[in-house]
Amino acid sequence: VANDPAAVTADDEDIETIDESKIDDLDKRLTLITRKYALIKRRVIDKHSRTRALHLGQDRYRRRYWYFSYLPGIYIEGLT
């Protein structure tokens, strides 16, 4: 998906394969570590928000009510 913020790009794969301990310049090392941290944080947030759902309960017709943190509104699951 092109708009997925956690999608791995070629640049991100390059960042993951670089060993920061072999870089002598501290500014470059700090920049690399910061970019790696941002990449990992972005992936964790994306995975967490995709799996996070709160079951609010059900009514007498056994329709289930759900709240998804990454979507607006409350969703109703009805049995047909």
Side-chain angles (χ1 to χ4, degrees):
V1 177
N3 294 333
D4 187 3
V8 178
T9 64
D11 191 37
D12 292 341
E13 289 177 0
D14 292 341
I15 290 173
E16 291 177 342
T17 59
I18 297 174
D19 184 11
E20 64 270 356
S21 65
K22 295 182 181 179
I23 300 174
D24 291 332
D25 186 14
L26 290 178
D27 288 333
K28 288 182 180 178
R29 185 185 291 183
L30 179 62
T31 302
L32 178 66
I33 292 172
T34 304
R35 287 181 67 192
K36 280 185 176 183
Y37 170 76
L39 174 67
I40 292 169
K41 183 179 177 183
R42 190 171 62 222
R43 287 182 183 166
V44 167
I45 290 171
D46 182 60
K47 297 298 181 189
H48 182 266
S49 67
R50 287 180 186 234
T51 59
R52 186 79 175 146
L54 178 62
H55 182 246
L56 300 174
Q58 60 182 332
D59 62 12
R60 63 182 173 179
Y61 301 110
R62 302 216 187 250
R63 292 180 293 215
R64 291 191 257 180
Y65 294 83
W66 295 92
Y67 170 74
F68 295 95
S69 60
Y70 57 94
L71 296 173
I74 295 174
Y75 292 86
I76 303 169
E77 176 185 15
L79 301 175
T80 54

